[in-house]
Amino acid sequence: MESVIKINQGDTKWDIRHKVWNYIEVKNLASFPRPVHNRIPNFKGALKACGKVPLLDTFTNAAVVKVAPDKPLEGVRLASLQARKTLLVPTPRLKTGLFNRIVTPKGATKKKLCVCSTSQGVKEMSVPVGLDDKVQVDLVVVGSVAVSNKGYRIGKGEGFADLEYAMMACMGAVCESTVVVTIVHDCQLHTEILKKIPILKKLRTLEQEAGKDVALKTTPDEEDQTKKSKELKWKPNCHPNAEL
């Protein structure tokens, strides 16, 4: 389907991000936390959308599921815990490692599992998983600001999802056949314009084998745009990129 948001051929990733954020705010499609700017947007209906993930055969057959800590993905984290999957979440900003594993209390009720699936639960009820540990991730669930029906994705601009995937690939936790799922509102779905923005940048295999740094770099321009975006205060109906 075509999005109701007007995306132009010359738009940058930051243009697209702001148009999506603005549209979600102006149309009151957002849930807490607000405003959605500089976040993976938590949209109304996210919990219902998350409910479709457990219907996937990939989820049913998965033993280990890795889910980003974003608010709109809370329903997938809860479903994973309820299905007795091993639930991995990224270590915040990758400061102390790559993964944390959610540890639920023995005999946890649904109410307690709901707490475990929140950002607070992720902080308080998880233990680190070392890079040397042999982990095989069967399903990866990421948050998106915009996505295409061909699988191309734009995040919030910090690059951690790409870096996490690169690190998982380096340690053999994922491979080319690993399924990656995202949860979005219809207005976040775009088509041709995102063809040049891949969901995950390809790792340079030869550089990996040579032990070179394969971290995804941010250009000075992107760093400047990130700084400007974080400094920008959201004001309804008077945003510099308010064209929808």
Side-chain angles (χ1 to χ4, degrees):
M1 64 175 289
E2 292 290 339
S3 172
V4 293
I5 301 174
K6 183 180 178 181
I7 301 296
N8 301 313
Q9 189 63 42
D11 282 347
T12 67
K13 287 188 283 187
W14 278 106
D15 291 331
I16 297 171
R17 287 183 182 105
H18 283 294
K19 286 183 177 183
V20 171
W21 286 328
N22 292 348
Y23 185 89
I24 290 175
E25 282 292 341
V26 168
K27 297 298 182 179
N28 197 30
L29 300 175
S31 295
F32 174 85
R34 297 181 71 173
V36 297
H37 292 72
N38 302 306
R39 308 178 192 271
I40 299 298
N42 186 29
F43 57 92
K44 294 176 181 178
L47 187 60
K48 183 178 179 180
C50 287
K52 297 182 179 181
V53 175
L55 303 179
L56 300 174
D57 289 340
T58 303
F59 180 89
T60 301
N61 298 327
V64 180
V65 181
K66 184 255 185 184
V67 185
D70 308 302
K71 181 66 174 178
L73 306 182
E74 199 169 284
V76 181
R77 295 194 294 273
L78 174 59
S80 300
L81 295 176
Q82 289 178 312
R84 301 290 191 269
K85 311 289 186 186
T86 296
L87 175 59
L88 302 179
V89 294
T91 301
R93 309 192 76 81
L94 303 179
K95 288 183 177 180
T96 59
L98 179 56
F99 296 130
N100 273 28
R101 177 172 57 86
I102 302 299
V103 179
T104 58
K106 187 175 180 180
T109 62
K110 181 179 179 179
K111 183 177 180 180
K112 192 65 175 179
L113 292 180
C114 286
V115 174
C116 294
S117 66
T118 65
S119 58
Q120 190 62 32
V122 167
K123 292 178 182 178
E124 297 178 355
M125 302 178 189
S126 64
V127 296
V129 176
L131 291 177
D132 295 332
D133 292 344
K134 298 297 181 182
V135 177
Q136 184 63 53
V137 178
D138 303 306
L139 175 63
V140 177
V141 184
V142 297
S144 298
V145 174
V147 69
S148 81
N149 55 9
K150 297 288 181 71
Y152 299 97
R153 166 191 177 271
I154 297 177
K156 62 185 178 181
E158 294 182 325
F160 284 107
D162 285 342
L163 183 55
E164 289 161 11
Y165 196 91
M167 292 172 70
M168 286 191 291
C170 287
M171 64 187 289
V174 296
C175 60
E176 289 185 1
S177 63
T178 305
V179 174
V180 180
V181 171
T182 192
I183 307 293
V184 293
H185 187 277
D186 286 349
C187 74
Q188 295 173 260
L189 180 62
H190 301 270
T191 52
E192 300 301 314
I193 196 68
L194 295 185
K195 280 188 174 179
K196 296 181 180 180
I197 309 172
I199 184 169
L200 297 166
K201 296 181 181 178
K202 293 182 180 179
L203 296 176
R204 290 176 287 181
T205 306
L206 294 178
E207 291 190 349
Q208 276 188 22
E209 293 176 350
K212 295 182 180 179
D213 181 11
V214 294
L216 304 180
K217 295 181 179 180
T218 301
T219 65
D221 180 62
E222 287 175 327
E223 289 175 348
D224 184 55
Q225 289 292 333
T226 301
K227 182 178 179 181
K228 288 181 180 177
S229 179
K230 289 183 176 179
E231 292 174 349
L232 192 61
K233 299 298 183 181
W234 162 248
K235 294 181 180 179
N237 301 322
C238 59
H239 197 282
N241 288 327
E243 181 184 4
L244 304 177

